[in-house]
Amino acid sequence: LKRSWFYIYPFIEARGTMAFPLSLYEAEQCGTPFIACDISSNSEFFDKKHLIEPNNAEQLYDRIKYFINERENSGHI
């Protein structure tokens, strides 16, 4: 995850161990921006800038562009 520009966590409903998304915590610790659906524990623990509505392709596209632009403007490329 450390080498990634961003991480997409596409689950639209929590099931089993997915209810507690450890990979999102890992991305956060690595400094890798992530995009996940605004469901269950995701919405409880993570900032809204990382969350999208489930099944909303337009919002996913917009959020990807946002994080790419944020990274390009930070000078860490």
Side-chain angles (χ1 to χ4, degrees), residues 9-16 18-19 37 39-40 54:
Y9 188 80
F11 294 95
I12 59 172
E13 67 179 86
R15 290 184 181 200
M18 298 303 171
C37 289
I39 58 168
S40 65

Side-chain angles (χ1 to χ4, degrees), residues 3-69:
R3 293 182 183 176
S4 301
W5 273 40
F6 54 88
Y7 173 54
I8 300 173
Y9 188 80
F11 294 95
I12 59 172
E13 67 179 86
R15 290 184 181 200
T17 60
M18 298 303 171
F20 196 74
L22 294 176
S23 61
L24 296 181
Y25 289 107
E26 181 182 353
E28 200 168 55
Q29 292 301 310
C30 292
T32 300
F34 57 88
I35 302 166
C37 289
D38 192 358
I39 58 168
S40 65
S41 62
N42 292 353
S43 59
E44 292 178 39
F45 297 109
F46 301 105
D47 190 295
K48 290 287 187 191
K49 83 175 194 176
H50 296 283
L51 304 177
I52 61 169
E53 297 170 14
N55 296 316
N56 188 330
E58 186 176 322
Q59 197 176 31
L60 174 62
Y61 175 74
D62 290 341
R63 202 60 52 94
I64 290 170
K65 285 191 329 185
Y66 168 81
F67 283 120
I68 288 173
N69 289 333

